[in-house]
Amino acid sequence: MMAAEAYNKIEFFSGDSIPLEMHKVRMVQRLYLLPIEERLAAMQQAGNNTFLLKNRDVFIDMLTDSGVNAMSEQQYAAMLMADDSYAGSETFFRLQKTLQEIFGKEYFLPTHQGRAAENILANAFVTSGSHTMMNYHFTTTKAHITRLGGTVHEVTTDEVLNVDSTEPFKGNIDLQKLKATIDEVGADKVAFVRIEAGTNLVGGQPVSLQNMREVSQLCRRLGIMVVLDASLLADNLFFIKTREEACREKSIAEIVLEMSQLMDIIYFSARKLGCARGGGILTSSEEHFKKMRTLVTLYEGFLTYGGMSVREMEALAVGMRETLDVHVISQTPLYVEALGKELDKNGVPTVKPWGGLGCHVDATRFVQGIPQDQYPAGALAAAIFITGGIRGMERGTLSEQRNEDGSEHLADMELVRLAVPKRVFTYSQIKYVADRVSWLYENRELIGGLEFEEEPETLRFFLGRLRPIGDWQEKLVAKFKKDMPTGV
Ligand code: F0G
């Protein structure tokens, strides 16, 4: 068999096999692992909020896959060819052409990142009293919509909250719920229906192409616009290709084009999709394009850069093409599965089936007994950092906004996300993470709650500072040193 053909026939590893990397690493960054007392001091200085840690104090940074994915040599090479100018640069036209070809949509509006695209969309289409349905909200999406007086309705299948599921497309929209919600508010009051593929806050769970088709058909019949948040599309495409029977024989490029035809607007964070920086909005409607473009010039920059540097745009154009390669997009899902399996062996509860974006540890089952208003997932994220220098992200009640009356809005799920940025870590680092989190699980009765010391009004999880309730963190350090006398 010819080498190229053999390459294309490599099966994805499953079972107990090795999650094989289809790349080699030729540029590296030195890491340092602080002793546990210093990790405790760093966590306390950061107000028990992993967003406020200094990167130099972090050993394995699993905060996010946003803007920290490894880029390819082709992406770096393209950055050197960037054509810099305020208006009309060749770089922009290269990016525009690439996106037009991949998505089959005529118009592209650049933005500086994903939430900037959400700001433009919300300002263009959300009015006070309007309604937006979506499979699940994302923090920044919801904040932009509610700021303008819109209401967000979640119409995901009930299964999405089952943390021990075998459902391959847990992120799907429930058609009955969608229909009932539209009937209730009236189709003319719907700003748009948003599909987040895959879902972020509920464990990186994918949406099937079939579900997108059904949502699109319903919305087109009712004259409602469908918007795709494609920030996490790379992982979702891998799951469509490997889990959706009808798509097995389709190429990733064919799946993207078919999906795109079902959508009126597609937006994305290029900090995730395309392993670059920046973001943007795609549409085939001239009317929508014109409505949004003035907002781009107002908030983002001129229409041929939208807040992105030309180097970012070149990297994005190449990264988008690489996203069509199944061996590129397989890397995060395979590592998430590898981490999930290691944790599973030791009984650590994770969200199943393992999805994209990262491995999600289920804090509700991990630290039983901490009430939700003492932020069990926040406490677990702090404990994981102290235990292993591993930085995850709270995705639970801390990440919610308080209700209007000031009471806590308790999250549906209490998760710690251990994000797996694309092509960044090695398999042994994944095993280290599993080892340290498993040690913590064995010692989980030591973990206590957190309370706010300083609580910002919006998006409090970014900048809020918290303190431990009691001295549980010191006790955790003492036990760690007893079990691992070197302290690392
Ligand atoms: N939509 C989704 C589904 C996202 O995951 C994100 C970002 C955004 C929109 C906003 O994009 O950050 O470029 O402004 N998620 C990051 C994360 C922050 O860590 O999950 P952005």
Side-chain angles (χ1 to χ4, degrees), residues 64 113-115 118 138 200 229 231 269 271-272 417:
T64 177
Q113 62 184 86
R115 72 199 70 180
E118 289 170 340
F138 183 65
N200 188 322
D229 179 344
S231 305
S269 165
R271 298 175 64 82
K272 292 177 179 260
R417 176 178 92 180

Side-chain angles (χ1 to χ4, degrees), residues 346-349 365-366 436-444:
N346 299 316
V348 179
R365 286 179 291 166
F366 197 118
R436 288 303 190 261
V437 175
S438 299
W439 176 86
L440 187 60
Y441 186 63
E442 279 167 30
N443 292 281
R444 59 190 177 278

Side-chain angles (χ1 to χ4, degrees), residues 1 19 46 93 110 118 123 136 171 174 179 189 223 242 273 276 317 322 324 330 352 371 422 439 452 464 485:
M1 198 186 290
F93 296 120
E118 289 170 340
N123 276 297
Y136 209 80
D174 182 320
K179 203 167 173 317
K189 292 277 187 324
T242 52
L273 184 65
E322 291 175 348
L324 303 180
S330 66
K352 288 186 199 159
K422 295 171 184 63
W439 176 86
F452 266 106

Side-chain angles (χ1 to χ4, degrees), residues 453-473:
E453 207 168 63
E454 208 182 297
E455 182 178 351
E457 241 173 69
T458 8
L459 300 177
R460 60 183 182 171
F461 60 92
F462 279 136
L463 300 173
R465 299 183 63 82
L466 298 103
R467 64 179 151 241
I469 301 172
D471 62 351
W472 63 265
Q473 295 186 333

Side-chain angles (χ1 to χ4, degrees), residues 36-46:
I36 190 157
E37 293 89 347
E38 289 179 42
R39 300 201 291 265
L40 172 66
M43 191 72 268
Q44 292 185 342
Q45 250 176 30

